[in-house]
Amino acid sequence: MQPVMRTDGVNPPWTMHREPLLHPEDSIYQWYCQADEEITTIYANFHGADPNRELTEINVRKCCFYPDKTGRNYITVQGFEMAQAACPWTPPTADQPGLLGVNWSKGWIIENNIIHDAKCSGISIGKEMSTGHNDCTLYHRKPGYHYQMEAVFAARQIGWSKETIGSHIIRNNEIYDCGQNGIVGHMGCVFSTIERNHIYNIAVKHEFFGYEIAGIKLHAAIDVQILRNHIHHCALGTWLDWQAQGTRVSKNLYYGNDRDLMIEVTHGPCIVDNNIFASDYNFDNIAQGTAYLHNLCCGTMRKEAVLDRSTPYHYPHSTEIAGVSFVYSGDDRIYQNIFLGGAVTYTPQSKYGTSDYNGHPASMEEYVDTITSLGNGDHEQFQSVSQPVYIDRNVYLNGAGSYEKEAVFYMSPSSPNVNISEEDGRVYLEITVEQGLLDLNTKLYATDDLGAPRITEAIFDSPEGNMISFDTDYLDQPRNAQPTAGPIETLQAGANKIRVW
Amino acid sequence: MQPVMRTDGVNPPWTMHREPLLHPEDSIYQWYCQADEEITTIYANFHGADPNRELTEINVRKCCFYPDKTGRNYITVQGFEMAQAACPWTPPTADQPGLLGVNWSKGWIIENNIIHDAKCSGISIGKEMSTGHNDCTLYHRKPGYHYQMEAVFAARQIGWSKETIGSHIIRNNEIYDCGQNGIVGHMGCVFSTIERNHIYNIAVKHEFFGYEIAGIKLHAAIDVQILRNHIHHCALGTWLDWQAQGTRVSKNLYYGNDRDLMIEVTHGPCIVDNNIFASDYNFDNIAQGTAYLHNLCCGTMRKEAVLDRSTPYHYPHSTEIAGVSFVYSGDDRIYQNIFLGGAVTYTPQSKYGTSDYNGHPASMEEYVDTITSLGNGDHEQFQSVSQPVYIDRNVYLNGAGSYEKEAVFYMSPSSPNVNISEEDGRVYLEITVEQGLLDLNTKLYATDDLGAPRITEAIFDSPEGNMISFDTDYLDQPRNAQPTAGPIETLQAGANKIRVW
Amino acid sequence: MQPVMRTDGVNPPWTMHREPLLHPEDSIYQWYCQADEEITTIYANFHGADPNRELTEINVRKCCFYPDKTGRNYITVQGFEMAQAACPWTPPTADQPGLLGVNWSKGWIIENNIIHDAKCSGISIGKEMSTGHNDCTLYHRKPGYHYQMEAVFAARQIGWSKETIGSHIIRNNEIYDCGQNGIVGHMGCVFSTIERNHIYNIAVKHEFFGYEIAGIKLHAAIDVQILRNHIHHCALGTWLDWQAQGTRVSKNLYYGNDRDLMIEVTHGPCIVDNNIFASDYNFDNIAQGTAYLHNLCCGTMRKEAVLDRSTPYHYPHSTEIAGVSFVYSGDDRIYQNIFLGGAVTYTPQSKYGTSDYNGHPASMEEYVDTITSLGNGDHEQFQSVSQPVYIDRNVYLNGAGSYEKEAVFYMSPSSPNVNISEEDGRVYLEITVEQGLLDLNTKLYATDDLGAPRITEAIFDSPEGNMISFDTDYLDQPRNAQPTAGPIETLQAGANKIRVW
Amino acid sequence: MQPVMRTDGVNPPWTMHREPLLHPEDSIYQWYCQADEEITTIYANFHGADPNRELTEINVRKCCFYPDKTGRNYITVQGFEMAQAACPWTPPTADQPGLLGVNWSKGWIIENNIIHDAKCSGISIGKEMSTGHNDCTLYHRKPGYHYQMEAVFAARQIGWSKETIGSHIIRNNEIYDCGQNGIVGHMGCVFSTIERNHIYNIAVKHEFFGYEIAGIKLHAAIDVQILRNHIHHCALGTWLDWQAQGTRVSKNLYYGNDRDLMIEVTHGPCIVDNNIFASDYNFDNIAQGTAYLHNLCCGTMRKEAVLDRSTPYHYPHSTEIAGVSFVYSGDDRIYQNIFLGGAVTYTPQSKYGTSDYNGHPASMEEYVDTITSLGNGDHEQFQSVSQPVYIDRNVYLNGAGSYEKEAVFYMSPSSPNVNISEEDGRVYLEITVEQGLLDLNTKLYATDDLGAPRITEAIFDSPEGNMISFDTDYLDQPRNAQPTAGPIETLQAGANKIRVW
């Protein structure tokens, strides 16, 4: 009845800061409702307009386009504007309807649409109801974590497989002003491609709090390809939670987000390459087995292990479960990225560069030797030894630190003065480059150079099982035999201004 | 070359005592071998016999009867004596050949045989090789625990199901003098019945040390029925490890074992009823979700949680995996047993009776209320709250303690003077009974009284899905409407001597 | 607008007769509808009542109680009267909603209800939509038969298994006046029990024609138990189509039906025992591998092979597919039934007794010898040799003929004057018995006597895998060691009048 | 004892001719064996050599390199010569050991080996024993066809899937002088690549008769790629039997074979492109749903339906079964091939060119219209209507006939004088080309042009699910926008001599 302007919102506790609202002045536009047996009275702020003279719409629709039944396959949704749906909260342990969505189907194409003002999630490629629906909240018998684990196995029972679910294409859509997610999906998202979407202003009103908020929030994103998207001004750009196996985040543009990318309780292989991460808080790395190549990282990484929650992993390119594991942290591959220092930090673990990997062995041999030296033992031994990491040929600028065992790298105290600017809907990256960066002794990396994560023992290949060569850059330009570190191959010494969207 | 008599052997560390050898004088009968390029020289102790005059057999056979290939189904082995095989160590993470075994098949009947002097395991209904073979020992990449978890999923890939594997019957066999196990089996044992076997002198020479030693050692004993066996003088009587779901241990006779029964990292429903446990160390209860009814427990129970290793559970009567979980301890049902005090104890946690369950709530409602009172949270909250237990109508004698919230029970400080004696191959139980024990207000328990374990949510039914009524006793005599606590229905006030084998 | 009284309706062509309407005078009560852009005019016959004074209900509801989504498990529907739903046609190749139904769920109990006036099917435990929905009618790309075959495999992909679907209990319901089926279900019916229902007046208005009409019409009725039902005045009593494996039809009362029981394109093991079949046209036997024991068969059997349509069979007590096969006819077991001659016949193949099996070998050995004598060859040879049959100890009265190789039987030309009569809701069987029938040399049959069908190689056991003994009669009275042929153990020489409902 | 020279051998009956032996003079070199209780006497023909002076080897080894157990994955066999193994007959319904083989494993690489003188099959990537082993021969309960069908489902039970079995690479091997097959495999072969092997003189001694003889004989060759092999002087070049779905036969050279290629009881999509078929008897086409593009076909095609044996088909790129079907014949795509007349014919159905497709409709619409015009009906209707075929832009020379509805084609009565010649291990194709052939109005075909077979409804894509463009020729030269018909893009008007191996 008497709204007060809010200027910031709650963030997950580990981020250790509140998040400012993008448009605090809008926070006083609220509505309020009273109902007795016969009459429902709605009080609303109409922004100075007279609701009796203007067109006023009160809608209670849950979705704009969402099949009532599961298994409606091969539908194309193309060229629509869809907006204003009162769709509910979509955690991974409940039915996940969105303003627009596929409801546990296969082979949709969603392209060239404008999607906005979903109360919670704009596009859903998520879970259906029978595999669990808010059971922890309703019954408190087991934690949400536990119900999510059971949901994975229950999904197998109702046929979750490459043959029946997923393989959607979501491309060229504009998605904005949604309360929880631009795109959301647990399990239903497998084998999908999310490409060239423009996603912004997601959850920046901070109407809700919960752990499931991001521009793109996927659980079990097996073999999902997130390519060439433009994601800015989101509470969190992209969150890959559980089973991000075979997942690739490539050639995306992130900036202006409270955080850019979170990867959580997953064991690889996952590839993050040729992206621009221009926000202050780049990574929550609560995972293992990720390969980071050719990214521009302007902010910080926070890295943590998880030793009280195991999560599944799968046979390569399949939903069939191969095992479950804790996250021991590490086992990452980090090659030919550009790291910047100087961004504001919020948590003690937030670090510029790769120095937070100090203390990890630099090879599997070193790891096995340490394990063996402990004598006979079981799982408790493996918890006490840090996993190997593979870090080389990176660039560290303006105070970013390198891994202690990194053999080849370029480090300079000067700042590259990175700036992202928008002009008439076009986005530009400005960066000042020293000749030393261009002279760094690099190589063309490919699948064979990356080995396999310790736990999953699956190689870093494409969803089709083909070898990957990192031979094109953010702009799809071919890489040279001795490529340039970071996402842009054609950097020049001195100032550069490059159109990146 | 110069053997010294050994008088005791190594026990797992948590038992906190060494185990005396049954026949220490035999421990000097050893052999020793030297080999050069042409000649192998064997030195052996021949017990005073002249090996050049007597018949000397040197054998290197791995098995007596074991199919070379998997999937050889529906074979009956009946009426043989089989002995002396140099079969290898059979952990759950390796190929598990026994002196006699089924090698990943279905529907064998093994009955009326005499099996003895297996170097490791007498009868194997265990795992085959392709799902993992000593990978931790060979590679040290992941712990044995982790490889065992992967083996369960790998077994599903090669068709581990009720349709193809298990459902064996092993009955009326005499099995003795084996170095590791009388009967062993990981996964291959599912849906089997092990009945009326006489198993003794297993691992009592203490030639090996390892965590896989018992008269009967089963992993993933889904729906296995262990009935009416006679198991004595074993390092450990029976060890149910991982996934003892739908398993029933009923009407067995245990005595003279260093430990009688261990149940480990499994979540129920598992039923232990109408057994005689007459050794000093009755239970290692490292599990949850077990129902103990009508047992005579002359020794101690040691109970522990496991919060750093999750293990699988299954859909009822199926090998299909439904989830994984830690062991939180508790969630047990304990009704109408007789507990004795007075046995020697080795560990601080070893307790007579059920007092070690103090601190656990007595109902699911109480449990949920505690959880709810903690506010919002995930798995970490559930680790801090003890699981409910269901304990009633037990008998506590000679110092055994009762659960603090037990409503109905009989307690007496006097000793029943239990004795197990053997005469001419017959075994007798002697017990002195007070009238108060017979007057205890009991009831006929059945499936409906037992609910479902918190984690697995599966009822305590029979392998066929039928309801179980605990309406017969150890001797297969019918129970009265108000039955007698413990395994024998027909106890009389005063001294009783009952033939139990 | 001008309805004419119809006196009979269409029957499937192979029955070679039209079926008289039970209440032809009702056939003029019809309605008719005209609609333009604004107004729908309904013309109806109101049986002499004035619709403007009486309560008139016009309803368009598809179902009375039917979940909108699949996978709503463990619901009990008890004690309702439900009537008048405009539910659509329910073939096995479409979504199958009924007036009341489970929509691809598990573990419902439907008991003590009164269900009537469903436009098509009263209770549905059938298929959902995503596995096929009228594809042949819509596209004509493949025949309905082919789409049904694909539906079986598609159902496996969405998790059709004992763990997730079926196991319903439908008992003590009264079901009548439905246009297509009293109870219907493709695949969703597996592992269910249908017991003590009273089903009548199904499809006797002959409003529709199609191949899917019966009191109970099930496809893929794996392990379904149809017990003690009372089914009369139906176009067809019970139709078991495709995969009636592990199915049992026992102690049911059939009379006044145009046909009693049809079993089609299925390979056994299927058991039909202790039933009263009192209509003129007892069996359409378009199957193989059925065991008929202790039935009273007052009418005819028509037996045919199907050599241009293969259908699936399964591993025992499982939805997992084990193969597909044609129906070669024969492979039936027929023991201790009473067959009567004298009923009206409609088709050349309709025969009293078992003489239509003449020409079939009497043992598997004889069959194999014939096959072997043909020399090398493949499937074409097996099409030319009749399958063995196992027929013995039956009673043939009033002109019913015996199988030419039957060793022991009783035959008499006199009629037993069987009559079914109803008095005050009770139903009586009258039958006159000769002493010779009672003196027939019979035996107690059980699973071990029945072998296994040639194709499926699965024994005639219970759904739980237990052995079956045919040791009780229609009235659940115990059988004697030398039991009486037919369903009633306590027949006396001379006239008998026995309450059978 | 007294061998007589044989000059020809038995062929399958439908070929209607006996096959001449390649080296009849060798047929007198035989051996013969007599055994009593103590002595085995071997009589042998030693080709004039004195076995007492020369090195004589008598071997009874079943295999040269073959794992004893199944599931031995990821083994490379490289650079060996392996010869002389007494390996047994390898039908699809038995264990299939070869001289060299994988025994139901995954991911072998077999390359650069010389394999010869296997008694039956040189390299095996086939079935193991537990899914069926000569059951028809042993028991005569069901035909071999039926046991093979059951083997497919049994294989699923033991885990036959992309995750566990197949994906072998067999390349650059020389394989010759084997009695039954150069390469054999049922089911174990899935997802494999067979490339650049030189296979010859297979079964040309005609020591055995049976239906399982060919240079390459595969059952269930799901997604198998047979590329750039050189196959000559075999009883049959390549035989794809059952489930050749996703299979591709591309850029192979066939000549001097009694028959070149047989495809049997399979439903597509299967691709045969850019091959040279230079023998007189090119195709036994007992299949449907195959696409033939850019082949040179110098001989005849025999085309037949199979309406009494259904066989399985699968979900795309998966071993999961999607249905079973008869072969109705037709549904083939035939584009831009060169067909020659003039070869000797043996059977009435053997035809040059595509005129044998006359009577088939030319589109799915035409097919559906015909079906619809027949009124309501089930499978029997679909048996009476020919399936559509898609035939265009082919070249017909020297009497080869075109399909009656073919819109664009080139036909000439003159002979191109095709000749295959060998010089110093190099093989040359000679062909005389008219300008008219080069002027034919062609196009670049790709996946989108080929639709999907009626039964399987799966597109003609690559094993990875990528689109295929037929944009390179036999020699891997790029195709022009208007490519040349037949396998060679660079044909010139007049005489051409092209090295093809």
PDB file of all heavy atoms in Angstrom, chain B residues 394-405:
ATOM      1  N   ASN B 394      10.619 -54.670  23.418  1.00  0.00           N
ATOM      2  CA  ASN B 394      11.799 -55.526  23.517  1.00  0.00           C
ATOM      3  C   ASN B 394      12.022 -55.978  24.948  1.00  0.00           C
ATOM      4  O   ASN B 394      11.477 -55.422  25.901  1.00  0.00           O
ATOM      5  CB  ASN B 394      13.034 -54.762  23.035  1.00  0.00           C
ATOM      6  CG  ASN B 394      12.918 -54.416  21.562  1.00  0.00           C
ATOM      7  OD1 ASN B 394      13.009 -55.294  20.714  1.00  0.00           O
ATOM      8  ND2 ASN B 394      12.686 -53.136  21.270  1.00  0.00           N
ATOM      9  N   VAL B 395      12.879 -56.962  25.073  1.00  0.00           N
ATOM     10  CA  VAL B 395      13.267 -57.518  26.372  1.00  0.00           C
ATOM     11  C   VAL B 395      14.737 -57.201  26.619  1.00  0.00           C
ATOM     12  O   VAL B 395      15.570 -57.429  25.731  1.00  0.00           O
ATOM     13  CB  VAL B 395      13.025 -59.043  26.392  1.00  0.00           C
ATOM     14  CG1 VAL B 395      13.646 -59.675  27.634  1.00  0.00           C
ATOM     15  CG2 VAL B 395      11.535 -59.339  26.307  1.00  0.00           C
ATOM     16  N   TYR B 396      15.058 -56.666  27.810  1.00  0.00           N
ATOM     17  CA  TYR B 396      16.431 -56.285  28.156  1.00  0.00           C
ATOM     18  C   TYR B 396      16.849 -57.020  29.412  1.00  0.00           C
ATOM     19  O   TYR B 396      16.246 -56.837  30.468  1.00  0.00           O
ATOM     20  CB  TYR B 396      16.523 -54.779  28.374  1.00  0.00           C
ATOM     21  CG  TYR B 396      16.093 -53.990  27.152  1.00  0.00           C
ATOM     22  CD1 TYR B 396      14.786 -53.547  27.009  1.00  0.00           C
ATOM     23  CD2 TYR B 396      17.013 -53.700  26.144  1.00  0.00           C
ATOM     24  CE1 TYR B 396      14.399 -52.828  25.893  1.00  0.00           C
ATOM     25  CE2 TYR B 396      16.625 -52.977  25.016  1.00  0.00           C
ATOM     26  CZ  TYR B 396      15.323 -52.548  24.899  1.00  0.00           C
ATOM     27  OH  TYR B 396      14.940 -51.849  23.797  1.00  0.00           O
ATOM     28  N   LEU B 397      17.888 -57.844  29.325  1.00  0.00           N
ATOM     29  CA  LEU B 397      18.300 -58.677  30.444  1.00  0.00           C
ATOM     30  C   LEU B 397      19.754 -58.414  30.810  1.00  0.00           C
ATOM     31  O   LEU B 397      20.560 -58.026  29.961  1.00  0.00           O
ATOM     32  CB  LEU B 397      18.126 -60.163  30.080  1.00  0.00           C
ATOM     33  CG  LEU B 397      16.720 -60.580  29.600  1.00  0.00           C
ATOM     34  CD1 LEU B 397      16.720 -62.046  29.203  1.00  0.00           C
ATOM     35  CD2 LEU B 397      15.681 -60.296  30.674  1.00  0.00           C
ATOM     36  N   ASN B 398      20.041 -58.630  32.066  1.00  0.00           N
ATOM     37  CA  ASN B 398      21.440 -58.665  32.528  1.00  0.00           C
ATOM     38  C   ASN B 398      22.215 -57.396  32.159  1.00  0.00           C
ATOM     39  O   ASN B 398      23.369 -57.455  31.757  1.00  0.00           O
ATOM     40  CB  ASN B 398      22.132 -59.909  31.930  1.00  0.00           C
ATOM     41  CG  ASN B 398      23.474 -60.173  32.611  1.00  0.00           C
ATOM     42  OD1 ASN B 398      23.693 -59.792  33.778  1.00  0.00           O
ATOM     43  ND2 ASN B 398      24.370 -60.828  31.889  1.00  0.00           N
ATOM     44  N   GLY B 399      21.540 -56.240  32.260  1.00  0.00           N
ATOM     45  CA  GLY B 399      22.270 -55.001  32.054  1.00  0.00           C
ATOM     46  C   GLY B 399      22.106 -54.354  30.692  1.00  0.00           C
ATOM     47  O   GLY B 399      22.629 -53.267  30.456  1.00  0.00           O
ATOM     48  N   ALA B 400      21.406 -54.994  29.774  1.00  0.00           N
ATOM     49  CA  ALA B 400      21.156 -54.360  28.477  1.00  0.00           C
ATOM     50  C   ALA B 400      20.214 -53.180  28.680  1.00  0.00           C
ATOM     51  O   ALA B 400      19.258 -53.257  29.454  1.00  0.00           O
ATOM     52  CB  ALA B 400      20.547 -55.368  27.504  1.00  0.00           C
ATOM     53  N   GLY B 401      20.463 -52.063  27.928  1.00  0.00           N
ATOM     54  CA  GLY B 401      19.696 -50.841  28.136  1.00  0.00           C
ATOM     55  C   GLY B 401      18.629 -50.626  27.084  1.00  0.00           C
ATOM     56  O   GLY B 401      18.779 -51.043  25.933  1.00  0.00           O
ATOM     57  N   SER B 402      17.571 -49.937  27.468  1.00  0.00           N
ATOM     58  CA  SER B 402      16.465 -49.685  26.539  1.00  0.00           C
ATOM     59  C   SER B 402      16.545 -48.267  25.972  1.00  0.00           C
ATOM     60  O   SER B 402      17.162 -47.380  26.557  1.00  0.00           O
ATOM     61  CB  SER B 402      15.123 -49.877  27.241  1.00  0.00           C
ATOM     62  OG  SER B 402      14.955 -48.856  28.212  1.00  0.00           O
ATOM     63  N   TYR B 403      15.875 -48.062  24.858  1.00  0.00           N
ATOM     64  CA  TYR B 403      15.741 -46.746  24.211  1.00  0.00           C
ATOM     65  C   TYR B 403      14.886 -45.851  25.094  1.00  0.00           C
ATOM     66  O   TYR B 403      13.868 -46.273  25.630  1.00  0.00           O
ATOM     67  CB  TYR B 403      15.103 -46.955  22.840  1.00  0.00           C
ATOM     68  CG  TYR B 403      14.668 -45.716  22.115  1.00  0.00           C
ATOM     69  CD1 TYR B 403      15.542 -44.663  21.847  1.00  0.00           C
ATOM     70  CD2 TYR B 403      13.350 -45.612  21.648  1.00  0.00           C
ATOM     71  CE1 TYR B 403      15.119 -43.542  21.146  1.00  0.00           C
ATOM     72  CE2 TYR B 403      12.929 -44.489  20.937  1.00  0.00           C
ATOM     73  CZ  TYR B 403      13.820 -43.449  20.701  1.00  0.00           C
ATOM     74  OH  TYR B 403      13.398 -42.341  20.012  1.00  0.00           O
ATOM     75  N   GLU B 404      15.264 -44.585  25.198  1.00  0.00           N
ATOM     76  CA  GLU B 404      14.643 -43.706  26.183  1.00  0.00           C
ATOM     77  C   GLU B 404      13.163 -43.463  25.958  1.00  0.00           C
ATOM     78  O   GLU B 404      12.427 -43.142  26.876  1.00  0.00           O
ATOM     79  CB  GLU B 404      15.394 -42.367  26.209  1.00  0.00           C
ATOM     80  CG  GLU B 404      15.332 -41.653  24.866  1.00  0.00           C
ATOM     81  CD  GLU B 404      16.298 -40.477  24.759  1.00  0.00           C
ATOM     82  OE1 GLU B 404      16.948 -40.122  25.739  1.00  0.00           O
ATOM     83  OE2 GLU B 404      16.410 -39.926  23.639  1.00  0.00           O
ATOM     84  N   LYS B 405      12.722 -43.589  24.705  1.00  0.00           N
ATOM     85  CA  LYS B 405      11.309 -43.335  24.412  1.00  0.00           C
ATOM     86  C   LYS B 405      10.519 -44.618  24.169  1.00  0.00           C
ATOM     87  O   LYS B 405       9.419 -44.585  23.614  1.00  0.00           O
ATOM     88  CB  LYS B 405      11.190 -42.417  23.200  1.00  0.00           C
ATOM     89  CG  LYS B 405      11.819 -41.046  23.427  1.00  0.00           C
ATOM     90  CD  LYS B 405      11.592 -40.108  22.257  1.00  0.00           C
ATOM     91  CE  LYS B 405      12.222 -38.744  22.535  1.00  0.00           C
ATOM     92  NZ  LYS B 405      12.198 -37.858  21.351  1.00  0.00           N
TER      93      LYS B 405
END
